[in-house]
Amino acid sequence: MSARQDYPSRRTQMERLRRQVRALEQAAPAAGHRVARLGARALDERLPGGGLAATGLHEVLPARSEWDDGAALGFALLLLGRLTGLREGPLLWATRRADLYAPALPAYGVAPERLLLARCGSDEEVLWALEEGLRCAELAAVVGEVAELDATAARRLQLAAETVQRPCLLLHRRQVAARRGAGPATPALTRWQVGALPSRAEAHRGLVGNPVWRVELLRCRGGRPAIFEVEWDHATGDFAVAAELRDSATAALERAG
Amino acid sequence: MAEQTPAADRAALERLAEWSTRYTPWTAVESVSEPGGGAGLWLDITGCAHLFGGEEALSRELVARLSRFGLSARLGLADTPGAAWAVARYATQAAQPVCRVAPGEQAAALAPLPVAALRLPAERAELLRRLGLSRVADLDGLPPAALEPRVGPEVARRLRQALGQTDEPVSPRRPVPAHLERLAFGEPIGAPDDLARAVETLLGRLCAGLERAQAGGRRFCLTAYRVDGSLARLPLGTARPVREPAHLKRLFAGRLESLDPGFGIEAMTLAAETLEPLSALQMTLAEGAARAPTTGGQGATGQNAALDLGRLVDRLGGRLGFARVHRLAPRESHLPERCVAAGPALPHAGARPGRWPARPPRPVRLLSRPEPIEATAGWPDSPPAQFRWRRLLHRVVRAEGPERLSPEWWLPSNADPAGAPGGSRDYYRVEDGDGRRYWLFQAGGRWFLHGLCA
């Protein structure tokens, strides 16, 4: 009986291991660690270091492919604007389709003249271009649009981005997670899933108001998954978290964590 | 026996001229308009012969190689094209296919040859013969004033050309690059490693030459000469003048796979075709940028930055095509699809970025071509109540507009073959029941979806 009490309970042991893992994970990007504040407190608090790490891979994907492409791109542009606001230099944008519309970009904090556009023929070429871009010290960030991404390619990008201390943003044009939840494992620092929500009625009568998105932080190294309802003010360029949503899936994840 | 067709002969001769660039970059097919022309090749081997062990050795090798292709050739070597032409045709025999005229000895070599050796039209040669002037020696002593009224100015001109008293310009098939390196292999090579090593050697020599000339190349061409006489070219462009072997080697490395060695490659040449001045100072800065650690990046400013970016653009452009790597520049136009122009990937240091005019909210994605939608309109001049796009019905909950955008009247009609009509468009920003936002327009009574908003 007494021997049993010498061992910590299974739960405490797990707790300790989790703490160690978390410390390790948070230590990794801490070397020359720079974070970009997103400007919305509820979001920043959820991220390790109080903001989005400016040295590594971040993924953004639409909640429903095709239909939420606009919302996902808008959110990715906002992240990009915040990640590169303090850094000079061009941004490499590698994509298969040339449908990014430059006149819209200034509103998101991205100067169109900074973009170095590389039109690729395939996902492989996009990933290749991103890796090349991460070898060039002049670029402030690299952004790629891909249809699909395998974990190996993502790991390479994450490693490269961490080594050169540059942000790499990957926008999926197709939904990744087949089922509800975190989707396949990713080596990225964060993975966001963005879908449109109806804008709030009371503020604008019948007019198209500020975009409202359901932003799901699917994965976050050193942090926890979360779901937010985010409103973005087109005029001021500010984020506002209208509500942190909790659904059964997140609740279950949080209990497990 | 094979049937003769001038076009096929000409094509074969062109191929042969291409092949013979292994000896000299300066090759040309004889002009058909010349008498007796269209059947020979010009090779200017000035400064090249020593690479093959002298003129005699080069000629012997050339004849031997041609005979391996089943071609019997006659070679004339002389100081002037005219003399070479003459001796190749009138002073060689099957047993002795090469005739070399020692420097300055044209007159002696030509003297015993018939006058037709002066590249004269047949009727002109016949006329001279009837005048009793059948050998070149007969013409040589005559005063031009006596000759010209009877046989025309051409005879005297041809004679002067052959003797080297008048310059005779002959244009090469391709522009001759000022910087060219050549490598011949004892045994044909084909293994990727061997090819890469050969390219490295060539690059080292070429870049040394460029350095002496204080120049950098913008366009390079690697030519591989296969054993079977065919050849493969690998052109390469760069965004900035370059003469660093390491950078060029990386650029070539990705493409060498596409070089099919066939049964083996026996020689290679590498040419810098387009040159730009590149001073040693610029190079030091570039090397400094290359050596600077990729992390940090604080030290990389000004010219360093541009050159380092230049390398990236080279690599991207080399694989994707230079037209596909560009910046975005504003263009003044009312039509949304005309508002953006492609700018150079590496803007000049002094270039000022254009201004993006402030406009009402714009979609983040603009479809390359407006897509027609089925819309159920509410009132005239009002947004649709609902629309069907890509088979899905969207109920419009909110809308803003119209914003009328008209094409410039001085530009040609913007009517789209896919169905979008020209003329003014009334744009609406709409939100559907799920909160998704679209940019629609009405033109000529029909509705189109043009963009996706965030």
Side-chain angles (χ1 to χ4, degrees):
Chain A
M1 259 336 221
S2 63
R4 200 187 227 179
Q5 276 174 353
D6 284 343
Y7 292 104
S9 76
R10 189 166 166 272
R11 194 183 167 78
T12 346
Q13 228 173 357
M14 283 305 287
E15 195 50 53
R16 203 175 59 212
L17 282 172
R18 279 211 184 90
R19 264 205 308 278
Q20 281 175 358
V21 167
R22 208 168 298 142
L24 282 174
E25 282 182 339
Q26 279 176 341
H33 189 106
R34 289 174 61 180
V35 293
R37 292 196 183 285
L38 298 183
R41 210 149 160 224
L43 272 171
D44 284 330
E45 277 175 355
R46 279 291 183 163
L47 296 165
L52 201 60
T55 60
L57 176 68
H58 302 282
E59 292 180 68
V60 179
L61 40 128
R64 283 178 64 203
S65 50
E66 190 166 34
W67 310 112
D68 278 326
D69 191 35
L73 177 59
F75 185 73
L77 284 170
L78 284 172
L79 294 187
L80 181 68
R82 280 155 171 73
L83 284 169
T84 58
L86 294 173
R87 215 194 278 264
E88 296 220 334
L91 315 169
L92 176 68
W93 191 290
T95 178
R96 289 173 65 182
R97 280 189 269 172
D99 52 2
L100 181 73
Y101 193 47
L105 302 186
Y108 297 83
V110 178
E113 61 270 13
R114 286 180 79 183
L115 287 193
L116 175 61
L117 220 64
R119 284 190 42 212
C120 305
S122 64
D123 273 5
E124 291 85 71
E125 283 191 344
V126 171
L127 296 171
W128 170 82
L130 293 180
E131 280 196 41
E132 289 294 314
L134 283 171
R135 287 167 49 184
C136 173
E138 313 331 313
L139 295 182
V142 298
V143 189
E145 295 183 43
V146 290
E148 276 165 61
L149 180 73
D150 64 294
T152 319
R155 195 165 301 118
R156 288 176 63 107
L157 285 177
Q158 162 62 18
L159 272 175
E162 234 170 38
T163 314
V164 301
Q165 312 247 314
R166 290 282 182 289
C168 173
L169 212 58
L170 211 55
L171 184 66
H172 294 255
R173 296 197 72 149
R174 211 177 288 165
Q175 198 173 354
V176 173
R179 60 182 177 80
R180 205 52 205 277
T186 172
L189 296 182
T190 62
R191 170 178 274 181
W192 307 81
Q193 181 171 290
V194 185
L197 287 178
S199 57
R200 284 182 294 154
E202 66 272 21
H204 321 272
R205 299 143 194 263
L207 289 178
V208 177
N210 292 332
V212 180
W213 302 314
R214 183 181 190 276
V215 174
E216 196 170 346
L217 181 56
L218 291 176
R219 282 183 176 275
C220 174
R221 195 195 280 188
R224 289 182 179 184
I227 304 177
F228 309 92
E229 191 183 314
V230 172
E231 182 171 358
W232 175 60
D233 191 333
H234 188 282
T236 62
D238 287 338
F239 267 135
V241 173
E244 183 165 348
L245 305 172
R246 273 163 205 277
D247 62 5
S248 52
T250 346
L253 281 169
E254 295 208 337
R255 269 200 307 279
Chain B
M1 226 170 124
E3 205 175 320
Q4 271 197 346
T5 58
D9 284 356
R10 176 84 191 167
L13 214 52
E14 288 278 354
R15 277 202 302 281
L16 205 59
E18 191 87 355
W19 171 84
S20 50
T21 56
R22 54 177 291 128
Y23 295 102
T24 164
W26 196 112
T27 66
V29 176
E30 237 183 22
S31 166
V32 185
S33 57
E34 298 220 354
L41 290 181
W42 295 112
L43 268 67
D44 186 343
I45 57 167
T46 314
C48 300
H50 71 276
L51 297 168
F52 300 89
E55 292 180 353
E56 296 283 356
L58 189 150
S59 333
R60 275 199 306 275
E61 193 197 310
L62 182 51
V63 172
R65 278 184 191 278
L66 288 173
S67 74
R68 266 200 266 148
F69 298 145
L71 300 171
S72 56
R74 302 287 179 92
L75 251 76
L77 253 96
D79 285 0
T80 63
W85 194 95
V87 295
R89 282 173 175 72
Y90 294 93
T92 56
Q93 296 147 9
Q96 198 194 352
V98 181
C99 178
R100 178 168 173 271
V101 179
E105 298 293 318
Q106 297 91 309
L110 292 181
L113 302 184
V115 285
L118 291 176
R119 288 181 288 169
L120 297 174
E123 68 276 6
R124 194 72 60 195
E126 179 61 27
L127 178 67
L128 284 169
R129 220 166 43 77
R130 271 192 272 133
L131 290 170
L133 305 165
S134 57
R135 310 239 151 235
V136 177
D138 304 334
L139 289 171
D140 205 6
L142 292 178
L147 201 59
E148 213 172 295
R150 296 187 175 79
V151 294
E154 202 183 353
V155 176
R157 181 172 63 89
R158 285 302 195 192
L159 185 63
R160 281 200 308 275
Q161 282 179 345
L163 297 179
Q165 294 159 354
T166 311
D167 254 4
E168 181 184 3
V170 182
S171 327
R173 295 180 65 245
R174 299 169 154 267
V176 178
H179 291 270
L180 180 127
E181 291 300 331
R182 173 191 327 275
L183 201 58
F185 312 112
E187 287 283 311
I189 62 167
D193 286 354
D194 295 342
L195 293 178
R197 254 199 307 282
V199 170
E200 200 176 342
T201 311
L202 286 170
L203 279 172
R205 292 193 206 157
L206 188 76
C207 292
L210 288 173
E211 194 175 349
R212 281 193 294 280
Q214 294 279 293
R218 288 283 309 272
R219 268 180 44 218
F220 297 86
C221 186
L222 180 74
T223 311
Y225 299 87
R226 301 196 189 98
V227 180
D228 61 358
S230 63
L231 51 84
R233 282 184 198 282
L234 209 59
L236 180 85
T238 62
R240 300 258 160 146
V242 182
R243 64 155 183 266
E244 289 159 278
H247 179 51
L248 288 167
K249 192 186 153 199
R250 274 198 299 276
L251 293 180
F252 270 116
R255 310 239 199 132
L256 276 179
E257 312 162 3
S258 67
L259 191 75
D260 174 18
F263 293 109
I265 292 170
E266 51 181 3
M268 268 183 172
T269 61
L270 179 66
E273 290 178 338
T274 310
L275 300 182
E276 275 179 26
L278 182 67
S279 73
L281 177 67
Q282 284 169 300
M283 286 298 296
T284 338
L285 290 169
E287 277 158 16
R291 252 183 259 119
T294 43
T295 51
Q298 291 91 345
T301 46
Q303 199 156 17
N304 288 8
L307 276 164
D308 207 283
L309 200 59
R311 286 201 195 90
L312 175 70
V313 172
D314 280 352
R315 297 206 26 102
L316 294 176
R319 175 152 173 190
L320 307 173
F322 279 93
R324 300 183 134 240
V325 182
H326 58 86
R327 301 277 185 124
L328 299 169
R331 177 157 62 186
E332 268 188 52
S333 174
H334 301 306
L335 279 192
E337 62 267 37
R338 285 188 188 159
C339 283
V340 188
L346 297 171
H348 293 287
R352 294 164 62 98
R355 275 174 46 84
W356 296 88
R359 288 209 176 86
R362 285 288 181 253
V364 282
R365 286 213 195 278
L366 194 77
L367 303 185
S368 56
R369 174 166 281 177
E371 289 184 19
I373 49 174
E374 290 170 36
T376 319
W379 305 95
D381 291 333
S382 73
Q386 56 183 27
F387 64 94
R388 189 179 290 280
W389 176 56
R390 293 188 181 167
R391 294 192 313 222
L392 205 70
L393 192 66
H394 302 265
R395 190 169 50 85
V396 174
V397 177
R398 296 157 209 280
E400 269 176 20
E403 182 188 355
R404 174 159 292 188
L405 299 178
S406 312
E408 291 77 8
W409 56 264
W410 59 90
L411 289 178
S413 158
N414 60 316
D416 183 342
S424 316
R425 304 168 181 178
D426 284 339
Y427 276 91
Y428 293 89
R429 214 154 61 94
V430 303
E431 182 177 316
D432 72 4
D434 294 327
R436 300 195 176 97
R437 290 132 185 270
Y438 303 96
W439 210 37
L440 312 179
F441 72 84
Q442 186 190 29
R446 289 155 65 207
W447 285 91
F448 297 87
L449 192 145
H450 204 179
L452 305 177
C453 305

